[in-house]
C-alpha cells in the first residue's frame, strides 16, 4: 500500500469532504435564497398595497400622488420618468459607446487599447452620488449657459446625459469584448477581397458580434433603469407625465428614495407603495437580465 | 481475445541484459489485467474491447497513431478518466487481481498506488521540496520532518535530480529547465511509493538530450516499478520497452515482446504502421 | 497585363482604371480616415467628461479639504462640518460587508466551478447569480427594509447596512472567483489529482492559491462598489445627521471587547455628501464637493488597484 492512511482515517476524510461540499453548496444556494427573499418581500408588501388600490388604476392612472390627502396611485408618471431618462442615456451612450468599441477593437493599437480600456472602466467606479452632483452643478448650468437658456434647474435631460456617461463603459467595453471574440479569419476574408478596415468592421465584424453587443446594450439599459441617485439629485422629485426631457420628473427609483428619506410609519399605504413601485422595477430589470443572459449564452456558443 | 506472453524474452537493450534477461509473465502473475475494456465519451466509443496483460518490473509501451486510444486506455489504469463527466468505462481492469472499477474502490487511494507523469511537465508552482513532499504529506507517509526530508531526498536521487537541486530545494520548481521539471515530476510520482508508474508521452515536450536522460531513468526505474509508457515515437518504444502494444482507432491490434513486434509483427496493420505507411 | 486577361485590348474588370472606380475608392478611403478620427474622439469623450467632473469637483471642494474637515462631525454650520462620523461609518460597514460577502461568495464560486454537476439545479443557481448582478441596488434596500429591519428586527443598524451591502456585492465576488478559478490551467489540477489528492485537497492546496489574485481583484472591486452605494442605505434608514461615533469595540472592563457598535445608527460618506447637496445654499455645496472628492479618491483608488492587479495577472499568466 502506497498510502499509509488507515481505512478508518479514509472514511473520516470522506466524511469531511462531504461536509465541505455541503457547506459550499449552501453558499451557492444562498443566492437563490436572496432572490426568493426579494421576490417574497416585494410580493408580500405589494399584496397589501393592492388590497387598497385597484391594479387597473395603478397601471393606467396618470397621476402619482400617494402622499396627498386624496392620494392617487397611477404608476405611469414614474414609468415615464424612468423611460425618459433611459432613452436620453441611450441616446448619449449608444453612438459614443459603439463607435468607441469599433475603434478600440478594429483600429486602435494594442498599446492604446491597454491604456484606454482600463480608463473607461474607471468611469463605472465613480459613485453615483458624485455623478448626481456633476449633473446638477455642472451639466445643467452648462446647458443653461449654452443651448437651453430656459432649462429648469431640475430636469431629466442632464440626469439622462450623465447616466449615459455612466453606462458608457458597459456598452463600449462589453461590445468591444464581443467584437474581439470574432475570429480573425472572418476579417481576413473580408480584407482579402479588397474591403477597407472600416467596411470590414461595420459590415462583417459588427453583425458577427451581434448577440454580444445586444447583450451589452440590454445590460446597460438595465443599469440605466435601476439608477437612483443621479435622478434623485438632478431631476427633481416631482412625478410628471411628460415626454419632454427638459422638464423635471421622477423615476420609480427616485420615488422610493424620497419616501425612504421621509418618515413613513411601517404598514401604512405610503410605505407599501414603495414596494409596489419596486415590484414593477424588479420585473422590468428581471426581463432585461434574462434577455441578456440568454443573448450571452448564444454568442458564447457561436464560437 | 486475450494476448499473453509466451516463453522467455531477452531484454531488448544492452543495459538490461545485465540483469540476466528476466523471465516473467509465466513465473509471476501479471500486474495489470484488462478484459474487454470499452471506453465511451458520450455517444462516441473511444476504445473497443481491449484485453491485455501487463507484467510487473518491465516497461510496456503503447504505440499507435494520434487518436487511437492509447492515452485513453492509459488513463483508465489510474481512473483519471473519472474526471471527465461524459466518460464511461465498461469491462474489467484488475490490478493485483482486484478490479479497480469495483464499487468499493476509492480512486484517491488507487492513485497513490498508480502514479502518473504527463506529457507537458506540470510541477506545482511551489518550491522543489514542497513539490515532492506534497504526495507523502497527504497520504500520511511520514510522521516528522526528518522522515519527510529522507523521502524527498530518496525520490530526487532515484529520479536522477538530487545532485542538481540539493542546494536549492527551496527554489521554485518552475525555474527548472524542461528536462529537469519532468524529472521532478517523476520524483514527485515516486515519492508516494507507487507500484505502477504511467507515463503519457513524457518526452514529447523535451529536447533530445533531456529525452535521452529520461529514457535512461526509465530503464533504472523499471527494476522497481511496473512502467507503462505511451509514446508516439516507435523508435522510443523500441529503445525503452520490453513489451509493446499497438493500438489503432480504438482497437488493440497486437501485443507482444518489443523485439518481436518490431521485427516480425503478426498483423498487417502493425507492419504498416511500423514501416511508416500511415500515422 | 496578367495572363488572366481575356483579351489584350480589353482590360478585365478587376483592373478597371476608370475615373469612377478611382473616385469610389478615394471616397472609401476617406470614409475610413474620417472614422478613425471620429472613433478616437468618441473613445476619449467619456474620459474628457470624467476629467471635467474631477476638475469641477476639485475647484468647488478643494478649499474645504482640511484636517478639520476629516475629523469633525457634521454641523449646522457649514464651515465647521466634517465627515468623521461618515467615514468611520463607511469603514465599519465595509468590515461587516466583507466579512460576510467574501467567505460566502468565494465558497459559492468554488462550488459552482469545482463541484457543481451539470444539471437543472446548477442552471437555476447560475441564472440566479447572473440576475442578482443586474438587480438595481435600491431593490436590495427594499429587501433589507422588509426582511431585516422589520421582519427580523435587526433595526437601522450597522449590522443591517453591512448585511445589505454584502448581498449586493455577493454576485461580484462569485463571478470574480469563478473566473479566477477558470483561469487556472487544468494541468495543475491533473497533477494534483494524479497524486491522489481529494477534491478538497486539490482546491485548497492548488486551485485556490493560484486563483487568489483574481479573487482579490473581485473583492477590491466589490468593496469599491459598496463604498459608493447610497440608495439601499437610505432605504433602510441611514440617519443623515449623526454627530456621534459608535461605541468603541475595545473597552476597559471585562470582557474587554464588545459588539455594541454593530447595532447602532450610522451614516456613510456618500449619504453625507447627498445630504449636503440637498441643502439649499452654497456653503454646504463646498462641503458636498469635498466629501465627494474624498469618496472619489477612495473608490477610484481601489478600482485603479484592482485594474492594475488584473493587468499584472494577465501578463503573468500567459499559459
Amino acid at each position: 500500500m502506497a498510502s499509509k492512511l488507515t481505512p478508518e482515517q479514509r472514511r473520516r476524510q470522506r466524511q469531511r469532504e462531504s461536509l465541505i461540499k455541503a457547506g459550499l453548496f449552501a453558499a451557492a444556494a444562498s443566492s437563490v435564497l436572496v432572490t426568493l427573499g426579494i421576490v417574497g418581500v416585494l410580493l408580500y408588501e405589494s399584496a397589501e398595497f393592492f388590497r387598497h388600490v385597484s391594479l387597473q388604476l395603478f397601471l393606467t392612472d396618470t397621476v402619482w400622488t400617494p402622499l396627498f390627502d386624496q392620494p392617487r396611485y397611477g404608476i405611469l408618471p414614474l414609468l415615464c420618468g424612468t423611460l425618459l431618462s433611459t432613452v436620453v442615456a441611450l441616446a448619449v451612450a449608444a453612438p459614443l459607446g459603439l463607435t468607441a468599441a469599433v475603434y478600440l477593437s478594429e483600429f486602435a493599437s494594442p498599446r492604446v487599447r491597454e491604456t484606454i480600456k482600463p480608463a473607461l472602466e474607471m468611469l463605472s467606479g465613480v459613485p453615483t452620488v458624485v455623478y448626481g452632483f456633476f449633473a446638477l452643478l455642472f451639466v445643467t448650468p452648462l446647458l443653461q449657459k449654452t443651448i437651453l437658456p430656459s432649462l429648469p434647474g431640475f430636469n431629466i435631460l442632464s440626469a439622462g446625459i450623465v447616466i449615459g456617461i455612466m453606462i458608457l463603459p458597459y456598452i463600449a467595453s462589453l461590445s468591444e469584448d464581443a467584437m474581439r471574440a470574432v475570429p480573425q479569419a472572418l476579417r481576413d476574408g473580408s480584407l482579402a477581397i479588397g474591403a477597407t478596415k472600416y467596411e470590414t468592421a461595420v459590415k462583417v465584424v459588427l453583425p458577427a458580434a451581434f448577440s454580444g453587443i445586444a447583450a451589452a446594450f440590454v445590460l446597460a439599459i438595465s443599469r440605466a433603469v435601476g439608477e437612483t441617485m443621479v435622478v434623485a439629485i438632478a431631476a427633481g422629485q416631482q412625478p410628471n407625465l411628460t415626454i419632454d426631457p427638459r422638464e423635471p420628473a421622477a423615476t420609480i427609483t427616485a420615488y422610493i428614495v424620497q419616501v425612504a428619506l421621509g418618515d413613513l410609519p411601517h404598514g401604512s399605504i405610503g410605505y407599501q407603495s414603495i414596494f409596489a413601485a419596486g415590484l414593477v422595477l424588479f420585473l422590468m430589470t428581471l426581463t432585461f437580465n434574462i434577455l441578456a443572459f440568454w443573448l450571452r449564452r448564444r454568442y458564447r456558443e457561436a464560437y | 481475445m486475450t494476448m499473453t506472453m509466451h516463453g522467455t524474452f531477452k531484454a531488448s537493450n544492452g543495459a538490461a541484459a545485465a540483469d540476466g534477461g528476466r523471465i516473467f509473465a509465466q513465473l509471476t502473475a501479471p500486474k495489470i489485467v484488462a478484459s474487454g475494456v470499452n471506453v465511451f465519451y458520450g455517444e462516441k466509443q473511444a476504445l473497443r474491447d481491449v484485453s491485455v496483460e501487463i507484467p510487473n518490473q518491465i516497461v510496456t509501451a503503447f504505440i499507435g497513431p494520434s487518436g487511437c486510444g492509447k492515452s485513453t486506455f492509459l488513463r483508465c489504469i489510474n481512473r483519471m478518466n473519472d474526471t471527465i463527466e461524459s466518460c464511461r468505462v465498461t469491462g474489467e481492469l484488475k490490478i493485483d487481481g482486484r478490479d479497480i472499477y469495483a464499487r468499493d474502490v476509492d480512486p484517491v487511494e488507487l492513485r497513490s498506488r498508480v502514479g502518473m507523469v504527463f506529457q507537458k511537465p506540470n510541477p506545482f508552482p511551489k518550491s522543489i521540496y514542497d513539490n515532492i513532499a506534497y504526495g507523502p504529506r497527504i497520504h500520511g507517509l511520514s510522521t516528522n520532518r526528518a522522515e519527510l526530508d529522507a523521502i524527498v531526498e530518496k525520490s530526487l536521487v532515484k529520479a536522477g535530480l538530487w545532485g542538481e537541486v540539493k542546494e536549492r530545494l527551496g527554489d521554485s520548481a518552475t525555474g527548472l529547465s524542461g528536462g529537469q521539471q519532468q524529472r521532478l515530476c517523476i520524483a514527485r510520482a515516486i515519492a508516494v511509493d507507487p507500484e505502477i508508474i504511467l507515463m503519457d508521452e513524457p518526452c514529447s515536450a523535451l529536447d533530445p538530450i533531456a529525452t535521452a536522460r529520461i529514457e535512461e531513468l526509465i530503464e533504472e526505474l523499471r527494476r522497481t516499478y511496473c512502467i507503462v509508457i505511451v509514446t508516439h515515437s516507435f523508435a522510443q518504444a523500441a529503445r525503452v520497452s520490453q513489451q509493446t502494444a499497438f493500438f489503432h482507432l480504438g482497437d488493440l491490434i497486437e501485443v507482444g515482446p518489443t523485439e518481436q513486434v518490431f521485427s516480425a509483427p503478426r498483423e498487417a496493420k502493425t507492419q504498416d504502421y511500423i514501416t511508416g505507411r500511415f500515422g | 497585363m496578367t495572363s488572366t486577361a481575356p483579351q489584350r485590348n480589353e482590360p478585365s474588370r478587376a483592373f478597371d482604371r476608370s475615373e469612377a472606380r478611382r473616385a469610389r475608392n478615394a471616397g472609401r478611403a476617406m470614409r475610413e480616415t474620417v472614422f478613425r478620427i471620429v472613433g478616437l474622439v468618441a473613445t476619449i469623450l467619456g474620459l474628457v467628461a470624467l476629467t471635467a467632473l474631477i476638475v469641477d469637483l476639485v475647484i468647488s471642494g478643494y478649499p474645504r479639504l482640511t484636517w478639520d474637515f476629516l475629523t469633525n462631525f457634521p454641523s449646522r454650520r457649514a464651515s465647521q462640518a466634517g465627515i468623521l462620523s461618515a467615514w468611520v461609518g463607511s469603514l465599519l460597514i465595509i468590515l461587516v460587508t466583507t466579512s460576510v460577502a467574501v467567505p460566502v461568495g468565494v465558497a459559492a464560486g468554488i462550488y459552482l466551478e469545482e463541484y457543481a454537476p451539470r444539471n437543472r439545479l446548477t442552471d437555476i443557481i447560475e441564472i440566479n447569480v447572473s440576475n442578482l448582478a443586474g438587480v438595481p441596488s435600491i431593490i436590495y434596500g427594499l429587501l433589507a427594509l422588509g426582511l431585516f429591519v422589520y421582519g427580523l428586527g435587526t433595526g437601522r443598524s450597522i449590522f443591517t447596512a453591512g448585511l445589505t451591502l454584502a448581498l449586493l456585492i455577493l454576485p461580484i465576488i462569485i463571478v470574480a472567483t469563478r473566473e479566477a478559478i477558470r483561469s487556472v490551467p487544468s494541468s495543475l489540477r491533473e497533477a494534483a489529482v494524479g497524486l491522489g489528492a481529494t477534491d478538497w485537497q486539490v482546491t485548497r492546496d492548488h486551485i485556490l492559491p493560484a486563483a487568489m489574485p483574481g479573487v482579490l481583484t473581485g473583492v477590491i472591486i466589490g468593496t469599491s462598489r459598496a463604498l459608493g452605494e447610497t440608495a439601499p442605505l437610505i432605504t433602510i434608514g441611514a440617519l443623515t445627521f449623526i454627530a456621534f461615533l459608535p461605541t468603541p469595540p475595545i473597552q476597559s472592563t471585562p470582557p474587554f471587547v464588545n459588539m455594541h457598535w454593530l447595532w447602532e445608527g450610522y451614516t456613510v460618506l456618500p449619504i453625507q455628501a447627498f445630504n449636503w447637496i440637498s441643502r439649499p445654499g452654497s456653503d454646504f455645496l463646498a462641503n458636498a464637493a469635498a466629501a465627494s472628492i474624498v469618496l472619489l479618491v477612495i473608490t477610484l483608488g481601489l478600482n485603479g488597484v484592482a485594474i492594475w492587479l488584473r493587468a499584472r495577472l494577465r501578463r503573468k499568466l500567459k499559459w
Side-chain angles (χ1 to χ4, degrees), chain A residues 8-241:
Chain A
E8 173 60 29
Q9 282 174 306
R10 279 284 175 209
R11 200 177 57 82
R12 263 189 283 140
Q13 186 182 57
R14 275 195 293 268
Q15 268 177 346
R16 262 204 312 267
E17 294 270 321
S18 297
L19 230 74
I20 291 178
K21 181 170 173 182
L24 295 177
F25 173 74
S30 69
S31 64
V32 178
L33 283 180
V34 174
T35 305
L36 287 178
I38 292 177
V39 171
V41 165
L42 288 177
L43 282 179
Y44 177 75
E45 298 287 350
S46 301
E48 281 298 312
F49 176 79
F50 284 117
R51 278 210 274 147
H52 304 280
V53 176
S54 99
L55 182 60
Q56 194 198 4
L57 216 56
F58 181 72
L59 293 175
T60 57
D61 198 355
T62 56
V63 176
W64 177 268
T65 49
L67 308 173
F68 281 9
D69 285 331
Q70 305 278 2
R72 286 176 67 181
Y73 300 100
I75 193 116
L76 284 183
L78 295 183
L79 258 183
C80 201
T82 302
L83 249 51
L84 209 51
S85 64
T86 305
V87 164
V88 173
L90 268 184
V92 168
L96 277 182
L98 257 189
T99 315
V102 171
Y103 179 76
L104 279 176
S105 148
E106 307 296 309
F107 290 88
S109 69
R111 258 194 59 207
V112 168
R113 203 182 302 131
E114 301 290 306
T115 350
I116 297 205
K117 262 199 94 165
L120 269 182
E121 285 178 36
M122 297 280 258
L123 271 182
S124 60
V126 175
T128 54
V129 196
V130 178
Y131 272 126
F133 185 91
F134 187 56
L136 182 68
L137 299 171
F138 183 81
V139 178
T140 299
L142 183 68
L143 289 174
Q144 284 170 334
K145 271 181 258 177
T146 51
I147 49 176
L148 293 170
S150 61
L151 192 67
F154 292 124
N155 60 81
I156 283 278
L157 186 62
S158 306
I161 292 177
V162 171
I163 296 180
I165 297 177
M166 194 178 71
I167 65 175
L168 194 59
Y170 280 76
I171 297 194
S173 205
L174 291 180
S175 299
E176 196 256 355
D177 285 344
M179 292 180 75
R180 290 275 302 245
V182 173
Q184 184 62 27
L186 261 76
R187 287 188 195 85
D188 288 345
S190 168
L191 292 173
I193 54 173
T196 64
K197 240 183 174 180
Y198 172 68
E199 289 163 349
T200 305
V202 167
K203 296 191 186 145
V204 173
V205 184
L206 261 188
F210 180 72
S211 325
I213 296 181
F217 265 76
V218 172
L219 278 175
I221 294 177
S222 186
R223 183 78 186 79
V225 161
E227 176 45 39
T228 314
M229 296 317 292
V230 177
V231 271
I233 295 176
Q237 291 176 0
Q238 284 297 102
N240 183 4
L241 187 63

Side-chain angles (χ1 to χ4, degrees), chain B residues 132-147:
Chain B
I132 314 287
Y134 183 70
R137 275 200 187 114
I138 60 175
H139 289 295
L141 292 179
S142 70
T143 49
N144 59 50
R145 179 66 186 226
E147 279 180 29

Side-chain angles (χ1 to χ4, degrees), chain B residues 75 80 83 85 108 111 114 118 122 124-126 134-135 138-139 188 192, chain C residues 116-118 187-188 190-198 201-202 205-206:
Chain B
R75 294 165 84 96
M80 279 299 275
T83 60
E85 234 174 276
V108 165
R111 293 178 192 131
V114 183
F118 299 86
N122 53 8
F124 300 134
K126 299 183 197 284
Y134 183 70
I138 60 175
H139 289 295
R188 183 175 65 184
V192 184
Chain C
R118 298 244 150 282
S187 58
L188 187 58
E190 279 203 324
V193 172
L195 271 182
T198 62
Q201 281 167 340
V202 173
D205 298 330
H206 303 288

Side-chain angles (χ1 to χ4, degrees), chain C residues 247-272:
Chain C
T247 315
I250 317 264
Q251 57 190 35
S252 48
T253 57
F256 298 114
V257 183
N258 72 63
M259 300 293 260
H260 290 317
W261 57 273
L262 265 182
W263 308 103
E264 295 174 357
Y266 61 91
T267 184
V268 291
L269 263 178
I271 291 186
Q272 191 60 69

Side-chain angles (χ1 to χ4, degrees), chain C residues 56-79:
Chain C
D56 183 53
L57 267 186
V58 170
I59 293 179
S60 321
Y62 186 71
R64 287 292 296 133
L65 274 183
T66 63
W67 181 251
D68 284 340
F69 182 71
L70 294 175
T71 53
N72 280 357
F73 288 113
S75 146
R76 277 180 225 291
R77 258 172 296 186
S79 53

